[in-house]
């Protein structure tokens, strides 16, 4: 007879030592990592990290929405915000232009589904619109990551995507658009070879999925 293992509490923030361990490993893998207290601190820090006038694409993210960062970027007039521009374009006649705009902004800002203590970022997507920029198309990438997304390893990260993130995102898309979400594309970033390109703002609080 086997004893069932308790479910991983994917909504609970990781303690300080785990955040430090993840930050150290990510730094060794070429990412720039800053540990901040909360989303408000990240919202302030973003303004220092993105130069005024830069073209910026914000990936779909509850973290960005809840923190106010999405609105700061797309509605402030401080940047060349790509998302409002794309939403105003014809999806058929402007398809090629939309694809290019999303793939190669000056800066892409978003979040991840999981961040491992072994130094990987895991991003799940239904449409894949943010993945080219994250993977290398954008000149710079910034991820804001709540403490609940820190997990021990890649296997646990994939379970978090399937068991925790997907049901929550499906509920959101069902309410907003009338259809469930799906993990159609999965991006795993194990290292950053261009110093200063990838920045992780790792929060001590939980936010987003």
């Amino acid at each position: 007879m086997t004893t069932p293992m308790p479910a991983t509490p994917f909504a609970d923030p990781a303690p300080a030592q785990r955040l430090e361990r993840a930050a150290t490993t990510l730094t060794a893998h070429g990412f720039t990592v800053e540990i901040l207290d909360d989303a408000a601190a990240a919202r302030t820090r973003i303004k220092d990290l993105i130069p005024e006038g830069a073209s910026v694409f914000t990936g779909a993210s509850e973290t960005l929405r809840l923190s106010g960062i999405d609105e700061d970027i797309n509605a402030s007039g401080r940047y060349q915000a790509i998302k409002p521009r794309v939403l105003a374009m014809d999806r058929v006649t402007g398809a090629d232009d939309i694809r290019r705009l999303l793939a190669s902004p000056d800066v892409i800002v978003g979040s991840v589904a999981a961040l491992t203590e072994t130094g990987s970022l895991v991003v799940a997507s239904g449409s894949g619109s943010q993945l080219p920029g994250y993977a290398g198309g954008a000149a710079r990438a910034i991820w804001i990551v709540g403490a609940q997304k820190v997990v021990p390893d890649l296997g646990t990260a994939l379970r978090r995507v399937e068991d925790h993130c997907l049901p929550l995102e499906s509920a959101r898309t069902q309410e907003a658009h009338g259809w469930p979400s799906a993990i159609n594309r999965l991006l795993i970033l194990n290292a950053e070879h261009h110093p200063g390109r990838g920045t992780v703002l790792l929060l001590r609080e939980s936010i987003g999925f």
Side-chain angles (χ1 to χ4, degrees), residues 1-208:
M1 179 176 176
T2 58
T3 303
M5 295 294 291
T8 304
F10 288 129
D12 294 345
Q17 64 268 28
R18 292 182 59 200
L19 299 184
E20 294 286 352
R21 188 157 53 242
T24 297
T25 310
L26 284 167
T27 300
H29 290 187
F31 296 96
T32 299
V33 185
E34 300 179 24
I35 298 179
L36 304 175
D37 282 340
D38 50 31
R43 189 176 184 180
T44 299
R45 183 68 177 122
I46 281 286
K47 294 175 183 177
D48 297 327
L49 292 174
I50 305 177
E52 189 170 351
S55 63
V56 187
F57 174 46
T58 53
S61 164
E62 280 296 282
T63 298
L64 296 193
R65 184 185 69 82
L66 293 169
S67 65
I69 292 171
D70 189 86
E71 184 176 2
D72 288 346
I73 291 173
N74 291 310
S76 67
R78 179 182 175 89
Y79 312 106
Q80 297 180 50
I82 289 176
K83 183 178 287 183
R85 181 178 173 185
V86 164
L87 290 175
M89 297 170 69
D90 185 277
R91 309 298 288 183
V92 176
T93 61
D96 283 344
D97 289 333
I98 290 172
R99 173 173 53 81
R100 295 186 185 99
L101 284 167
L102 298 184
S104 57
D106 294 331
V107 184
I108 186 166
V109 182
S111 190
V112 301
L115 182 159
T116 75
E117 293 177 53
T118 51
S120 296
L121 304 175
V122 178
V123 184
S125 178
S127 69
S129 62
Q130 75 276 47
L131 301 189
Y134 285 169
R140 291 189 62 198
I142 303 171
W143 298 277
I144 298 92
V145 184
Q148 85 281 13
K149 298 184 179 184
V150 176
V151 297
D153 51 37
L154 189 55
T156 310
L158 296 178
R159 287 199 303 275
R160 186 178 197 280
V161 171
E162 291 273 1
D163 298 342
H164 181 77
C165 300
L166 180 58
L168 292 172
E169 177 63 8
S170 278
R172 186 195 71 80
T173 58
Q174 188 70 53
E175 181 177 353
H177 307 296
W179 60 76
S181 187
I183 304 169
N184 293 326
R185 292 163 175 82
L186 192 68
L187 175 67
I188 300 172
L189 299 166
N190 291 321
E192 177 55 70
H193 293 293
H194 302 286
R197 179 191 176 268
T199 298
V200 178
L201 301 182
L202 184 54
L203 310 184
R204 294 187 177 94
E205 71 170 4
S206 296
I207 185 172

